[in-house]
Amino acid sequence: MVLLINIILNGLLLGGIYAVTAVGLSLQYGVARILNIAHGEYIMVGAFLTWLVHTKFGVNPLLCLAVAGPAMFILGYLVQTFLFRKLKEKTPTPAEFEGSSMLMAFGILFVIQSIAIFLWGTNIEGYSYLAYSIYLGDIRLSVNRLVILIAALAICLLFYLLLTRTRTGKAIRAASQDPDAAALMGININRMLALCFALGAMMAGFAGMLISLVYQLQTNMGMQYTIIAIIVVVLGGLGSIPGSLIGGFLLGILGAIVNSIEPGLHMAAYYLLFMILLLVKPSGIFGR
Amino acid sequence: MRKKSLLLFLIACLALALVFTGCAGNSNNSNNNNNGKALEDKDKLVFGGARSLSGPLAIQDESCFGPVYRMWIDEVNERGGIYVEEYGKKLPIELKLYDDTSDMNTMITLLEKSMVEDKVDFLLAPISTAFLHAAAPICNEHGYLLIGAEGGAKELEPLMAGLPYFFSLLNYATHQVDPFVEMLAEHGIENAAIIFIADQHGIEYSGDLVPRLTMAGIDVVFSRSIPLGTKDMTALLEEAKAKNVQALLCCAYPDENFAVFTQCMEVGYNPDVIIFGPGICLEVFPQIFGVEATHGVMGWGAWNEKSSPAMADLAKRLTEHQGGNRNVDWWGQAIYYAGLEILEQAIEKAGTIDHSVLKDVIATETFDTVIGKVWFENGGVPAECYPGQVGQWQNGIFEVVAPSDKATAAPLIPKPPWPTQ
Amino acid sequence: MDNNNKLKKIIGPVILVLILAFMISLPLFAQNYTIILLRTILMYVALTLSWVLFSGFTGYTSLATAVFYGTGLYTAGVLNGVLPLPLLMLCSGLISAVLALIIGTITLRLRGIYFAIFTLSSVELIKHVLNWYEINVLGVRGHYVTRVDYGTVYYILLAIVVLILITTYLIKRSRYGLALSGIKSCEEAAVHTGVNATALKVLLFALSAFFIGMTGTVMATGMLYVDSIIAFNLNYSFFPTLMAIFGGMSSMFGPIIGATVFAYLQEYLITRSPDAYMFIFGLVMIITILYLPDGLVGLYVRIRELLLQKAIPQIRRKISGGKHANTAS
C-alpha cells in the first residue's frame, strides 16, 4: 500500500512537469492552429536561461522565471507577428496552413537550436537544487519535485484564471472558438493570435525553468519534450487547458507504475497507452 | 494504347542510355588513394572524416575526442608539422571535417566523400560504438587507417583479424571489470545491483559484470535495462535501497548517469560503492554538482594529473587550449591523445603516408606516448598500457583506484554519506 | 494552335526520357562520390514519392514513414545472409505492407492531426519494443548487413523510383484515382457514391509502405550495421513530409524536385559550412515557406506565367515588329 502510494505520488510529481510543457502547446494549437514542432526549443532556451542566471549570478532558480518567461514571451510574439501571421495571410485554407506551419516550425527549430549550440555548445550542463526527500511516515516526497508540482499547479491555475477571468483571456477564447465572429465583435484577431502564441512560448519558458531544477540540460533536448507535450495535449484534448493538466498527471502516473514493474518498457508503455486512448476516444479526455 | 506508349517510353529510355554510355567511353576513374602513382609534391596533410557536431551524439565531440584532436593539430602545426621522409619536409595539418548530424547514413556518405572525393590523407574516427562498427569495414576496404576513439567495440574483436586497418584504442569492458570486481571483493562487498542502458555499451558492461560478480561470490540482486532517454529511475533506486544493495553499478550514458546520481540523493540511497559509465569521468560532473556531493563516486577510466608528469602537462595544455575552461575527460582524453601520437610517430618511423605501410608499423612497433609505452595486440591495446581502469572522485580529483599498481589513491569504500542539505 | 498543343504533349515525355536515360547511364561516367550522393538523394525521392502516393491522394498526413523505412532497414539486418537481396527486398516490403495494413485498419476513425500523431507514436513504440526485445531477450544489439556496391544500389533505387512513378501515374489515370480524389475532398460523399473508401485508403497505405520498406532494405546494404535505434529514426518521418511540402504537391514533379533540392542542399551545407549548416538550413526552410507557399513547383509555375504573359509576348512583338511589320495579324 505504501509502495503504491509512493508510486502514484512520484507519478503526480513527474506529471506536473509534463503538464506545464503541454499547456503552452495546447494553447497554441487550440487558438492559432499551429502544431509547433519547435515547442521543445523554447523549453530548452528557457532552461538554459535559468541555468545561466542561476550559475552566473547565484539567483534562486525559481526566481529565474522572471527572466525565462518574459524572454520567451517576446520571442513568441515576434515569431508569430513576423512569421506565422504572414504565412497565414498567404495560405488560404486551414488544412494547407497546418502543413506549411509545421514546415515553418521545423525551420524555426533548426534556427533556434543552431543559435543555442553556438552559444552554449553541445555539452551537458546543469545544477543541483534541493535534491533530497522529506518523509511523512513511510511516504517519501522529493523536495525539488514537490516544488515543481506546486509551481506547476500555480502557473497553470494563474494561466487558467487569465484565460477565463480577464478581458484579454475572454477575447483569446472568443478568437479560438470563432475567429470571424470575434473579428466582427471588434477583437483584433492578429493581436490575439500573437498574444496567444507568446503566452504559449512563455509557458514553455516556465516549463524549461522547472525542468532545469531536476534534469540536466543539453541543447538538443528540445525534441523529446516536444513529443511528450504533443502526447499530453492530444491525451487531454487539443486546446483544453485542464485537459493538458489531467493528461500530464495521467502520463506521469502511468510512467511511474510501469517503471516500478519493468523499467525497460516504460517508454513503450507511454506510447502504447497513448495510442490506445487515441483509438478509444480520438478527441482526448476533455475533447469536444 | 497506354501500355503501348509506356513500352515505347521505356524502350526510348534504354536506347538513349546506351547512346550516352557510348559517348562516355572508358573515362572510368580509379579510386585508389596515393599508391600506384608517382609521388606528387605535398604541402599539407589533410585530416578528414565525419563527426557528430549536432544531434544526440554531439556531446561527445565537445567533451571527449573533440578538444584533443583540435589541440593536437594546433600543437603539430606550431612545430611546423609532421616530418614525412618521402617528401623530405615537415607537412602541416589541415582539418576538413563534416557534421554527420548523428545519423548513420549521413556518416557513411560523408566518410566516403572524405575518402573518394576529397582523398584526404588521414581520417578521424566517427563517434559511438555503432558508428565504428559501420566505419571500420568501409575504411578497411578503401585502405584507410582508422584509429577508434569514442566507442569500445568489443564485438568487433573477433572480426579484428579481417580489419588490418582498424585499431581500437579505448578500454574494453573486459579490461575494466576485472580490477573493479577484485576491488569489490577485497572490500567485502556482498551484493550488487546493475542498471544498464539498452544499448551496445550497456550490454557489454552488464554482460561482463554479471558472471564475474557471481564468480567472486557477490550476489547480483537485479540487472535491469533502461531505454535511452529515461528520466525517472527512482523506482529502481528505491528497490535497491529497500533490498540494502551495497554496490550500485550504473552502465549508462551521461544523461541517464546524471539523473541516477541526483535521484540517489533524492531518494537518500547511499550505497557503499556507486559506479557510473561515461559522463561521470568528465570534469563537468563536479562542476555541476559540487565537490562535496561527488566525493566518493566512481566511474570508469581513469587518468589524472598525478598519474605521470606527462599527463599532468596534458591536462594543463587541454585546459589552456580551451581558454582556461577545464573541460577534461578523465577516461579517454589521454588515450585519444596517445592514439594521435602513435599516428605521428608511425608516420615519422615509416617515412611515408602510405597507409598499407603505416598499418604494419602501428601493428608491430611500440610507441612512447603520454600514457607511457603503448603497443597493439590483435588491433587492441593490452590492459597494462592503460593509465587506470577505475576512477573515484575524491575531493574534486578523479583518482585512479584500480588496478592497484596504477592507483593514485586508495579507494574510499564505503562511500561517505551524501551532503546534508 | 493545334501544332502548339501537340508539341506540349510530346515535350513532357521527351524530357522524362532524357532525364531517365541520363540517370541510367550516369554511373558509367560520373565520379564515384556522385553516385554515393545520388544514392541518398534517390532514397529521399523514393520516400517522398511513396509518402505522396498515400498522403497526397488521401489528404491524410502520415508520419509513419520511419516505421516502414525502419522495418526495411531492420529486416535487412535480421535476415542478412539468409535471403538474396531481391527476395529480401520483397520480404521487407511485404512486412512493411502488413504493418501498414494493421496500422491503417485500426486508425480508420482518426482524421487529420490525430492520424499524424498516432503514426508518429507508432515509430517510437516499435523502436522501444524492439530495443527492449533485443536487449533483454536476444541479449544482443545490432546486426551486420552485407555490403552491396553503390552502383547496384543506385540502379535498384532508380528502379524503385520509376516503379513508384508508374504506379502513381496508373492510379491517377484509373477510376480509383477519381475515387481517391473523392476521399480527399469529402470522405462522406465518397462513401455514399458506393466507393469503398476505407479499403482503398488502407490498400494505398500498404502500397506506399511496400515501396518504403524496399527502399529501407536497399539502403541498409550501404550502412553495414543496423540496430533498432538507428533504424527507427523520427527524421525519416519528418523529412519526406517536409520535402513534399517544400517541393509542392500540386504536381507529380513537386516531390521529386523538393526531395532532390532539399537533400542536396543539406549535403552542400553540411560539407561546406558544418558550423552554420543548421542555421542556414532553417532559414532556407522559413523563407521558402513564406515566399513560396506552393513549394518549388509553385515558383516554376509563377516564373512560367511571368514569361508567358510578359517576356514572351514582348519578344514576339519585337520579332514580329522587326521582321513582319506589314503582315501583323
Side-chain angles (χ1 to χ4, degrees), chain A residues 145-181:
Chain A
R145 292 182 195 210
L146 198 62
V147 169
I148 288 178
L149 179 66
I150 294 167
L153 284 176
I155 290 170
C156 289
L157 186 70
L158 280 176
F159 194 59
Y160 190 66
L161 288 179
L162 177 82
L163 282 187
T164 49
R165 295 291 151 86
T166 63
R167 265 186 79 83
T168 323
K170 280 178 186 159
I172 288 178
R173 288 196 307 153
S176 86
Q177 275 158 8
D178 192 341
D180 296 331

Side-chain angles (χ1 to χ4, degrees), chain B residues 378-411:
Chain B
N378 188 21
V381 178
E384 61 257 46
C385 294
Y386 292 107
Q389 306 291 3
V390 183
Q392 184 177 38
W393 285 102
Q394 295 181 9
N395 297 317
I397 293 168
F398 199 56
E399 302 279 4
V400 180
V401 292
S404 44
D405 57 326
K406 299 273 173 89
T408 56

Side-chain angles (χ1 to χ4, degrees), chain A residues 10 121-127 131-133 135 140 142 144-145 215-216 218 220 224-225 259 263-264 266-267, chain B residues 55-56 58-59 62-63 225 227-228 230-232 234-235 238 241 255 258 263 265-267 284 288-289 327 421:
Chain A
N10 198 17
T122 52
N123 216 341
I124 201 162
E125 305 287 0
Y127 55 89
Y132 62 96
S133 292
Y135 289 85
R140 185 186 64 80
S142 299
N144 53 9
R145 292 182 195 210
Y215 298 133
Q216 279 63 55
Q218 260 177 290
N220 63 26
Q224 71 194 61
Y225 290 106
N259 226 342
H266 85 270
M267 298 288 260
Chain B
I59 176 184
E62 185 165 317
S63 61
S225 77
L228 282 159
T230 308
K231 290 276 168 203
D232 185 43
T234 44
E238 299 226 34
K241 188 185 176 191
D255 260 354
F258 284 22
Q263 285 162 21
M265 287 200 279
E266 266 178 56
V267 174
V284 143
I288 290 179
F289 297 106
N327 175 23
Q421 298 272 340

Side-chain angles (χ1 to χ4, degrees), chain B residues 2 6 9-10 12-14 16-17 20-21 24-25 27-29 31 53-54 97-99 101 103-106 108-110 112-113 116-117 130-131 133-134 137-138 141-142 155-156 159 196-200 203 225 227-228, chain C residues 13 16-18 20-22 24-25 27-33 36-37 39-40 43 128 131-132 135-136 139-141 144 147 150 166 169-170 173 219 222-225 227 229-230 233 236 267 270-272 274-275 277-278:
Chain B
R2 200 180 302 140
L6 198 70
F9 175 73
L10 285 176
C13 284
L14 282 176
L16 258 173
F20 272 127
T21 318
S27 63
N28 254 358
N29 46 352
N31 66 325
L53 305 178
S54 63
L97 271 191
Y98 300 135
D99 176 13
T101 67
D103 175 69
M104 177 71 112
N105 184 50
T106 314
I108 303 240
T109 309
L110 295 176
E112 291 269 7
K113 184 182 170 79
V116 173
E117 195 181 68
F131 282 16
H133 273 276
I138 293 180
E141 206 172 284
H142 285 277
E155 242 182 46
L156 270 174
L159 308 171
F196 66 97
I197 191 90
D199 185 307
Q200 201 75 52
I203 294 185
S225 77
L228 282 159
Chain C
L16 261 183
V17 166
L18 277 173
L20 205 58
F22 177 71
I24 290 173
S25 48
L28 298 158
F29 52 83
Q31 286 191 330
N32 261 325
Y33 178 66
I36 297 168
L37 176 63
R39 183 180 130 264
T40 307
M43 178 265 285
H128 284 294
N131 190 23
W132 181 84
I135 303 285
N136 291 287
V140 290
R141 161 106 185 259
Y144 288 97
R147 191 155 177 207
Y150 292 125
I166 294 174
Y169 180 77
L170 289 180
R173 280 300 176 88
M219 288 307 287
M223 285 168 55
L224 290 109
Y225 178 86
D227 62 32
I229 303 285
I230 290 171
N233 184 341
Y236 292 106
E267 200 270 352
I270 279 181
T271 50
R272 298 307 191 285
D275 295 320
Y277 139 72
M278 284 182 86

